[in-house]
Each structure stands twice: as structure tokens, then as C-alpha cells.
């Protein structure tokens, strides 16, 4: 939907990026993504709901950090979702040790990543959306799902 994509592109995500980077530094970690790269990766993640009729997507651990800080600013996140999607996109955490769920999230992440690359091409940051290796290291990449409840109903 072009009007939804225009609305998403008009969203100023700089505040959530600044907040996320400050919180990462406060926790003693250095952000892996530059601010512009992080904002673009988060915007691309949100765009998945416009690129496919699927109702569920998976995010990388790196981009998930920014999404979490956006969600925790509940008013800003809800307002953005309403402006862009007309509804809130919900977060579904992956419980540690839940291997069947991890496999589902791994598959969903591959689908999500391929969709992003198919649409955005080389604008997709490999640091933000790394390729999976098919081994235990994938657990350092894949962490949670988003779900569009309206599409699920």
C-alpha cells in the first residue's frame, strides 16, 4: 500500500534510536548499528507488514533492541502503528529453551529476511539482518516475532 509506505517513511524514528543507543551504552554495550542504519533497519522491519499478506514476521536480535525500546515508549509506538497500519502490531517473545518455537521463529526469520532483500535489495544491512548458519549460533540472531493480530482474526 503506497500510502502506508509513505506514512512509514514520514515517521521520525530518531528519538527511539537515540533512546536505544543511550540505554545500550548505559548497560555497558556499544551499539553495532549507526543511527541511520538502525533507523533504516527498523523501518524495513515495519515495512514487512506492507510487503506481504503474512501476519507474522521475525526480527533479528540486533533490530529487536530498537523495536523493544520503541514498544516501551507505548504512546509513541501505538501512535506510529495507528498512523501507519491503522492498528497496533504486537510483539510475541521467544521463550528460552522452547526448541519447537525457536525452529518456527528461525523459519519465519528466513522468510522475513528474504522478503526484505527481495524488496530493498542491497539497502538491507547485513549487520542488522545477518544470514542464518543453520547451527547453534542462530540463537544469537533470532529472538522474537511480531504479529498482526488484525490479520490473524
Amino acid at each position: 500500500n503506497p500510502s502506508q509506505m509513505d506514512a512509514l517513511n514520514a515517521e521520525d524514528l530518531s528519538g527511539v534510536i537515540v533512546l536505544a543507543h543511550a540505554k545500550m551504552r548505559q548497560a555497558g554495550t556499544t551499539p553495532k548499528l549507526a543511527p541511520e542504519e538502525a533507523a533504516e533497519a527498523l523501518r524495513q522491519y515495519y515495512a514487512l507488514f506492507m510487503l506481504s499478506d503474512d501476519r507474522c514476521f521475525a526480527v533479528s536480535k540486533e533490530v529487536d533492541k530498537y523495536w523493544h525500546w520503541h514498544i516501551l515508549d507505548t504512546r509513541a509506538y501505538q501512535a506510529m502503528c495507528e498512523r501507519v497500519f491503522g492498528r497496533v502490531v504486537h510483539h510475541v517473545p521467544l521463550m528460552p529453551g522452547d526448541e519447537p518455537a525457536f525452529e518456527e521463529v528461525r523459519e519465519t526469520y528466513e522468510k522475513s529476511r528474504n522478503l526484505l532483500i527481495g524488496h530493498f535489495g542491497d539497502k538491507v544491512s547485513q549487520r542488522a539482518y545477518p544470514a542464518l548458519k543453520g547451527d547453534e549460533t542462530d540463537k544469537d540472531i533470532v529472538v522474537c516475532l511480531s504479529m498482526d493480530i488484525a490479520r490473524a482474526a
Side-chain angles (χ1 to χ4, degrees), residues 48 51-52 57 110-120:
L48 284 169
L51 300 177
S52 172
F57 299 98
E110 282 285 8
K111 175 194 72 173
S112 301
R113 184 175 180 275
N114 289 337
L115 186 59
L116 286 173
I117 291 169
H119 185 78
F120 294 106

Side-chain angles (χ1 to χ4, degrees), residues 13 16-17 20-21 24 32-34 36-48 58-71 91 109 113 116 124-130 140-144 146:
L13 299 176
V16 71
I17 304 305
H21 281 187
M24 286 179 212
K32 292 181 182 173
L33 304 179
E36 301 79 24
E37 183 181 18
E40 184 63 20
L42 186 59
R43 194 178 311 281
Q44 289 170 348
Y45 182 62
Y46 292 151
L48 284 169
V59 68
S60 70
K61 186 175 188 177
E62 199 57 41
V63 179
D64 186 60
K65 296 171 188 176
Y66 300 96
W67 185 33
H68 279 209
W69 284 110
H70 201 185
I71 291 168
H91 175 274
Y109 175 79
R113 184 175 180 275
L116 286 173
V124 175
S125 165
Q126 296 304 306
R127 292 189 312 166
Y129 295 102
D140 292 329
I141 296 172
V142 177
V143 287
C144 30
S146 57

Side-chain angles (χ1 to χ4, degrees), residues 5-108:
M5 196 64 83
D6 290 342
L8 177 61
N9 288 331
E11 288 294 321
D12 180 3
L13 299 176
S14 62
V16 71
I17 304 305
V18 168
L19 174 65
H21 281 187
K23 293 293 188 176
M24 286 179 212
R25 287 186 184 101
Q26 187 179 44
T29 60
T30 302
K32 292 181 182 173
L33 304 179
E36 301 79 24
E37 183 181 18
E40 184 63 20
L42 186 59
R43 194 178 311 281
Q44 289 170 348
Y45 182 62
Y46 292 151
L48 284 169
F49 287 96
M50 294 172 240
L51 300 177
S52 172
D53 287 334
D54 289 342
R55 65 179 184 90
C56 188
F57 299 98
V59 68
S60 70
K61 186 175 188 177
E62 199 57 41
V63 179
D64 186 60
K65 296 171 188 176
Y66 300 96
W67 185 33
H68 279 209
W69 284 110
H70 201 185
I71 291 168
L72 288 173
D73 186 354
T74 57
R75 289 182 184 165
Y77 180 72
Q78 182 174 353
M80 187 268 321
C81 283
E82 292 292 336
R83 281 190 301 271
V84 174
F85 305 114
R87 60 193 171 275
V88 175
V89 172
H90 294 278
H91 175 274
V92 182
L94 176 61
M95 296 305 292
D98 186 341
E99 288 301 317
F102 173 74
E103 288 305 320
E104 178 185 339
V105 175
R106 184 196 321 237
E107 290 172 20
T108 303

